[in-house]
Coordinates of all heavy atoms in Angstrom, one line a residue:
L598 N 113.9 138.6 157.9 CA 114.0 138.3 156.5 C 112.8 137.7 155.9 O 112.1 136.9 156.5 CB 115.3 137.4 156.2 CG 116.6 138.0 156.7 CD1 117.7 137.0 156.5 CD2 116.9 139.3 156.0
I599 N 112.6 138.1 154.6 CA 111.4 137.6 153.9 C 111.7 137.4 152.4 O 112.6 138.2 151.9 CB 110.2 138.5 154.1 CG1 108.9 138.0 153.4 CG2 110.5 139.9 153.7 CD1 107.7 138.8 153.7
A600 N 111.1 136.4 151.8 CA 111.3 136.2 150.4 C 110.0 135.9 149.6 O 109.1 135.3 150.2 CB 112.3 135.0 150.1
L601 N 109.9 136.5 148.5 CA 108.7 136.2 147.6 C 109.3 135.3 146.4 O 110.3 135.7 145.8 CB 108.1 137.4 147.0 CG 107.8 138.6 148.0 CD1 107.2 139.7 147.2 CD2 106.9 138.1 149.1
V602 N 108.7 134.1 146.2 CA 109.1 133.3 145.1 C 108.0 133.2 144.2 O 106.9 132.6 144.5 CB 109.5 131.9 145.6 CG1 110.1 131.0 144.4 CG2 110.6 132.0 146.7
S603 N 108.1 133.8 143.0 CA 107.1 133.8 142.0 C 107.3 132.8 141.0 O 108.4 132.6 140.4 CB 107.0 135.2 141.4 OG 106.1 135.3 140.3
Q604 N 106.2 132.0 140.6 CA 106.2 131.1 139.5 C 107.4 130.0 139.7 O 108.2 129.8 138.8 CB 106.3 131.7 138.1 CG 105.1 132.6 137.8 CD 105.2 133.4 136.6 OE1 106.2 134.2 136.4 NE2 104.3 133.1 135.6
G605 N 107.5 129.6 141.0 CA 108.6 128.7 141.3 C 108.7 127.4 140.5 O 107.7 126.8 140.1
S606 N 109.9 127.0 140.3 CA 110.3 125.8 139.6 C 110.1 125.9 138.0 O 110.3 124.9 137.3 CB 109.6 124.6 140.0 OG 108.3 124.4 139.4
T607 N 109.6 127.0 137.5 CA 109.4 127.2 136.1 C 110.5 128.2 135.6 O 111.2 128.8 136.3 CB 108.0 127.8 135.8 OG1 108.0 129.3 136.2 CG2 106.9 127.1 136.5
P608 N 110.6 128.2 134.2 CA 111.7 129.1 133.7 C 111.4 130.6 134.0 O 112.3 131.4 133.9 CB 111.5 128.8 132.1 CG 111.0 127.5 132.0 CD 110.0 127.3 133.2
E609 N 110.2 130.9 134.4 CA 109.8 132.3 134.7 C 110.0 132.7 136.2 O 109.6 133.7 136.6 CB 108.3 132.6 134.3 CG 108.1 132.6 132.8 CD 108.0 131.2 132.2 OE1 107.7 130.2 132.9 OE2 108.5 131.0 131.0
Q610 N 110.7 131.7 136.9 CA 110.8 131.9 138.3 C 111.5 133.2 138.6 O 112.6 133.5 138.0 CB 111.5 130.8 139.0 CG 111.9 130.9 140.5 CD 112.6 129.8 141.1 OE1 112.0 128.7 141.1 NE2 113.8 130.0 141.6
R611 N 111.0 134.0 139.6 CA 111.7 135.1 140.1 C 111.7 135.1 141.6 O 110.7 134.7 142.2 CB 111.1 136.4 139.5 CG 111.2 136.6 138.1 CD 110.4 137.8 137.6 NE 110.9 139.1 138.2 CZ 110.2 140.2 138.0 NH1 109.0 140.2 137.4 NH2 110.6 141.3 138.6
V612 N 112.8 135.6 142.2 CA 112.8 135.7 143.7 C 113.2 137.1 144.1 O 114.1 137.7 143.6 CB 114.0 134.7 144.2 CG1 114.1 134.7 145.7 CG2 113.7 133.2 143.7
L613 N 112.4 137.6 145.1 CA 112.6 138.8 145.7 C 112.8 138.7 147.2 O 112.0 138.1 147.8 CB 111.4 139.8 145.4 CG 111.5 141.2 145.8 CD1 112.6 142.0 145.1 CD2 110.2 141.9 145.7
T614 N 114.0 139.2 147.7 CA 114.2 139.1 149.1 C 114.3 140.5 149.8 O 114.7 141.5 149.0 CB 115.6 138.3 149.4 OG1 116.6 139.0 148.8 CG2 115.5 136.9 148.8
G615 N 114.0 140.5 151.0 CA 114.1 141.8 151.7 C 113.8 141.5 153.2 O 114.0 140.5 153.8
T616 N 113.2 142.5 153.9 CA 112.9 142.4 155.3 C 111.4 142.8 155.4 O 110.8 143.4 154.5 CB 113.7 143.4 156.2 OG1 113.4 144.7 155.8 CG2 115.2 143.1 156.0
L617 N 110.8 142.5 156.6 CA 109.5 143.0 156.7 C 109.3 144.5 156.6 O 108.2 145.0 156.3 CB 109.0 142.5 158.2 CG 108.8 141.0 158.4 CD1 108.4 140.7 159.8 CD2 107.9 140.4 157.4
A618 N 110.4 145.2 156.9 CA 110.3 146.7 156.8 C 110.2 147.1 155.4 O 109.7 148.2 155.2 CB 111.6 147.3 157.5
D619 N 110.8 146.5 154.4 CA 110.9 147.0 153.1 C 110.3 146.1 152.0 O 110.3 146.5 150.8 CB 112.3 147.3 152.7 CG 113.2 146.1 152.7 OD1 112.7 144.9 152.5 OD2 114.4 146.2 152.7
I620 N 109.7 145.0 152.3 CA 109.3 144.1 151.2 C 108.1 144.6 150.5 O 108.0 144.4 149.3 CB 109.0 142.7 151.8 CG1 108.9 141.6 150.6 CG2 107.8 142.6 152.6 CD1 110.2 141.5 149.8
V621 N 107.3 145.3 151.1 CA 106.1 145.8 150.5 C 106.5 146.8 149.4 O 106.0 146.8 148.3 CB 105.1 146.4 151.5 CG1 103.9 147.1 150.8 CG2 104.5 145.3 152.4
A622 N 107.4 147.7 149.8 CA 107.8 148.7 148.8 C 108.6 148.0 147.7 O 108.4 148.5 146.5 CB 108.7 149.7 149.5
Q623 N 109.4 147.0 148.0 CA 110.1 146.3 146.9 C 109.1 145.7 145.9 O 109.3 145.7 144.8 CB 111.0 145.3 147.5 CG 112.3 145.8 148.2 CD 113.3 144.7 148.3 OE1 113.7 144.2 147.3 NE2 113.7 144.5 149.5
Q624 N 108.0 145.1 146.5 CA 107.1 144.3 145.6 C 106.3 145.4 144.8 O 106.0 145.1 143.6 CB 106.2 143.5 146.5 CG 105.0 142.9 145.7 CD 105.3 142.0 144.5 OE1 106.5 141.8 144.2 NE2 104.3 141.6 143.7
E625 N 106.0 146.6 145.3 CA 105.3 147.6 144.6 C 106.0 147.9 143.4 O 105.6 148.2 142.3 CB 105.0 148.8 145.5 CG 103.8 148.5 146.5 CD 103.6 149.8 147.3 OE1 104.3 150.8 147.2 OE2 102.7 149.7 148.2
K626 N 107.4 148.0 143.6 CA 108.3 148.3 142.4 C 108.5 147.1 141.5 O 108.5 147.3 140.2 CB 109.6 148.7 142.9 CG 110.6 149.2 141.9 CD 111.9 149.7 142.5 CE 112.9 150.1 141.4 NZ 114.2 150.6 142.0
A627 N 108.7 145.9 142.0 CA 109.1 144.7 141.2 C 107.8 144.2 140.5 O 108.0 143.6 139.4 CB 109.7 143.7 142.1
Q628 N 106.7 144.2 141.2 CA 105.4 143.6 140.7 C 105.6 142.2 140.2 O 105.2 141.8 139.1 CB 105.0 144.5 139.4 CG 104.5 145.8 139.8 CD 103.2 145.8 140.7 OE1 102.2 145.2 140.3 NE2 103.3 146.4 141.9
L629 N 106.2 141.3 141.1 CA 106.2 139.9 140.8 C 104.8 139.3 140.7 O 103.9 139.7 141.5 CB 106.9 139.1 141.9 CG 108.4 138.9 141.7 CD1 109.2 140.2 141.7 CD2 109.0 138.0 142.9
P630 N 104.5 138.5 139.6 CA 103.2 138.0 139.4 C 102.9 136.7 140.3 O 103.8 136.1 140.7 CB 103.2 137.7 138.0 CG 104.6 137.3 137.7 CD 105.5 138.2 138.5
A631 N 101.6 136.5 140.4 CA 101.1 135.3 141.0 C 101.3 134.2 140.0 O 101.3 134.4 138.8 CB 99.7 135.4 141.6
P632 N 101.3 132.9 140.4 CA 101.4 132.4 141.8 C 102.6 132.6 142.4 O 103.7 132.6 141.8 CB 101.0 130.9 141.6 CG 101.5 130.6 140.3 CD 101.3 131.8 139.5
A633 N 102.6 132.9 143.7 CA 103.9 133.1 144.5 C 103.7 132.6 145.9 O 102.5 132.6 146.4 CB 104.3 134.5 144.5
I634 N 104.8 132.2 146.5 CA 104.7 131.9 148.0 C 105.6 132.9 148.7 O 106.5 133.5 148.1 CB 105.1 130.5 148.3 CG1 106.6 130.3 148.0 CG2 104.3 129.5 147.6 CD1 107.2 129.0 148.6
I635 N 105.3 133.1 150.0 CA 106.0 134.0 150.8 C 106.8 133.2 151.9 O 106.1 132.4 152.6 CB 105.1 135.1 151.4 CG1 104.3 135.8 150.3 CG2 105.9 136.0 152.3 CD1 103.1 136.6 150.9
I636 N 108.0 133.4 152.0 CA 108.8 132.7 153.1 C 109.3 133.7 154.0 O 110.0 134.6 153.6 CB 110.0 131.8 152.4 CG1 109.5 130.9 151.3 CG2 110.7 131.1 153.5 CD1 110.5 130.2 150.6
V637 N 109.1 133.5 155.3 CA 109.5 134.4 156.3 C 110.4 133.6 157.3 O 109.9 132.6 157.8 CB 108.3 135.1 157.1 CG1 108.8 136.0 158.2 CG2 107.4 135.7 156.1
G638 N 111.6 134.1 157.6 CA 112.4 133.6 158.6 C 113.9 133.7 158.2 O 114.3 134.2 157.1
E639 N 114.8 133.4 159.2 CA 116.2 133.6 159.0 C 116.8 132.7 158.0 O 117.9 133.0 157.5 CB 116.8 133.4 160.4 CG 116.4 134.5 161.4 CD 116.5 135.8 160.9 OE1 117.6 136.3 160.4 OE2 115.4 136.5 161.0
V640 N 116.1 131.6 157.6 CA 116.6 130.8 156.5 C 116.8 131.5 155.2 O 117.6 131.1 154.3 CB 115.7 129.5 156.3 CG1 115.8 128.6 157.5 CG2 114.3 129.9 156.0
V641 N 116.1 132.6 155.1 CA 116.2 133.4 153.9 C 117.6 133.9 153.6 O 118.1 134.2 152.5 CB 115.1 134.6 153.8 CG1 115.3 135.5 152.6 CG2 113.7 134.0 153.8
A642 N 118.3 134.1 154.7 CA 119.7 134.6 154.6 C 120.6 133.6 153.8 O 121.6 134.1 153.3 CB 120.3 134.7 156.1
L643 N 120.2 132.4 153.6 CA 121.0 131.4 152.9 C 120.8 131.6 151.4 O 121.5 130.9 150.6 CB 120.7 130.0 153.4 CG 121.1 129.7 154.8 CD1 120.5 128.4 155.2 CD2 122.6 129.7 154.9
Q644 N 119.8 132.3 151.0 CA 119.4 132.3 149.5 C 120.5 132.8 148.6 O 120.7 132.1 147.6 CB 118.1 133.2 149.4 CG 117.4 132.9 148.0 CD 117.9 133.8 147.0 OE1 118.5 134.9 147.2 NE2 117.7 133.4 145.7
P645 N 121.2 133.9 148.9 CA 122.2 134.3 148.0 C 123.3 133.2 147.7 O 123.8 133.1 146.6 CB 122.9 135.6 148.7 CG 121.7 136.0 149.6 CD 121.1 134.8 150.1
Q646 N 123.6 132.4 148.6 CA 124.8 131.5 148.5 C 124.2 130.2 148.0 O 125.0 129.4 147.4 CB 125.5 131.3 149.7 CG 124.8 130.7 150.9 CD 125.6 130.8 152.2 OE1 125.6 131.8 152.8 NE2 126.2 129.7 152.6
L647 N 123.0 129.8 148.2 CA 122.4 128.5 147.8 C 121.6 128.5 146.5 O 121.1 127.5 146.0 CB 121.6 127.9 148.9 CG 122.4 127.7 150.3 CD1 121.5 127.0 151.3 CD2 123.6 126.8 150.0
A648 N 121.3 129.7 146.1 CA 120.5 129.8 144.8 C 121.2 129.1 143.7 O 122.4 129.3 143.5 CB 120.3 131.3 144.5
W649 N 120.4 128.3 142.9 CA 121.0 127.5 141.9 C 120.2 127.5 140.6 O 120.7 127.2 139.5 CB 121.2 126.0 142.3 CG 119.9 125.4 142.7 CD1 119.2 125.4 143.9 CD2 119.0 124.6 141.9 NE1 118.0 124.7 143.9 CE2 118.0 124.2 142.6 CE3 119.1 124.2 140.5 CZ2 116.8 123.4 142.1 CZ3 118.1 123.4 140.0 CH2 117.0 123.0 140.7
F650 N 118.9 127.7 140.7 CA 118.0 127.6 139.6 C 117.7 128.9 138.9 O 117.4 129.9 139.6 CB 116.7 126.9 140.0 CG 115.7 126.7 138.8 CD1 115.8 125.8 137.9 CD2 114.5 127.5 138.8 CE1 115.0 125.6 136.8 CE2 113.6 127.4 137.8 CZ 113.8 126.4 136.8
N651 N 117.8 129.0 137.6 CA 117.4 130.2 136.9 C 118.1 131.4 137.3 O 117.5 132.5 137.5 CB 115.9 130.3 136.9 CG 115.3 131.1 135.8 OD1 115.9 131.1 134.7 ND2 114.0 131.7 136.0

Side-chain angles (χ1 to χ4, degrees):
L598 297 177
I599 182 172
L601 312 182
V602 185
S603 169
Q604 298 175 298
S606 87
T607 73
E609 291 74 33
Q610 173 178 299
R611 294 173 62 190
V612 180
L613 183 66
T614 62
T616 66
L617 292 180
D619 65 17
I620 193 65
V621 172
Q623 284 201 58
Q624 169 60 3
E625 286 179 358
K626 182 178 180 181
Q628 291 294 304
L629 266 61
I634 66 165
I635 303 168
I636 303 174
V637 181
E639 296 310 305
V640 290
V641 175
L643 297 167
Q644 196 273 337
Q646 66 191 77
L647 301 184
W649 61 274
F650 177 74
N651 207 22

